[in-house]
């Protein structure tokens, strides 16, 4: 999926950077974002392939960036191995 519908907003890019810890570090060191309910911004990123989610219980949703998301906010040439080691 390419084009305008595949693009993220600046706000979404900020959330994705935060999930990877890139708002505190020059290199990604984590990959999660906790929510107490479904989050429209993250749901949109999931639909576009930039994130995945895991539902834990009734009030905990954890969103994770995908390799596509990391390549968008960090480096385009990130390898699968590097991504898996975060």
């Amino acid at each position: 999926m390419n084009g305008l519908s595949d693009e993220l907003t600046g706000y979404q890019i900020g959330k994705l950077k935060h999930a990877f810890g890139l708002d505190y570090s020059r290199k990604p060191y984590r990959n999660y974002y906790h929510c107490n309910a479904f989050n429209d911004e993250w749901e949109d990123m999931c639909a576009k392939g930039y994130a995945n989610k895991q539902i834990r219980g009734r009030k905990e949703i954890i969103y994770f960036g995908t390799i596509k998301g990391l390549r968008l906010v960090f480096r385009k040439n990130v390898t699968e191995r590097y991504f898996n080691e975060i």
Side-chain angles (χ1 to χ4, degrees):
M1 184 183 224
N2 292 318
L4 292 176
S5 64
D6 199 30
E7 293 180 7
L8 300 183
T9 66
Y11 185 66
Q12 288 173 311
I13 289 171
K15 284 182 176 262
L16 200 50
K17 284 181 177 181
H18 180 74
F20 287 116
L22 291 170
D23 48 354
Y24 299 110
S25 174
R26 294 180 68 195
K27 294 170 83 174
Y29 66 91
R30 65 178 184 205
N31 186 5
Y32 60 86
Y33 190 98
H34 283 91
C35 292
N36 292 327
F38 287 102
N39 180 286
D40 290 339
E41 300 291 333
W42 277 102
E43 291 295 316
D44 183 57
M45 288 190 278
C46 287
K48 293 175 179 174
Y50 292 99
N52 291 315
K53 69 182 169 197
Q54 183 179 76
I55 300 170
R56 295 183 180 172
R58 299 173 93 196
K59 294 198 176 202
E60 184 179 13
I61 299 169
I62 303 169
Y63 292 97
F64 302 93
T66 61
I67 192 167
K68 179 180 177 180
L70 186 60
R71 287 176 175 159
L72 176 71
V73 298
F74 182 55
R75 286 196 315 244
K76 297 206 180 300
N77 64 344
V78 168
T79 64
E80 190 82 29
R81 181 178 177 185
Y82 184 91
F83 175 76
N84 290 330
E85 290 178 358
I86 297 174

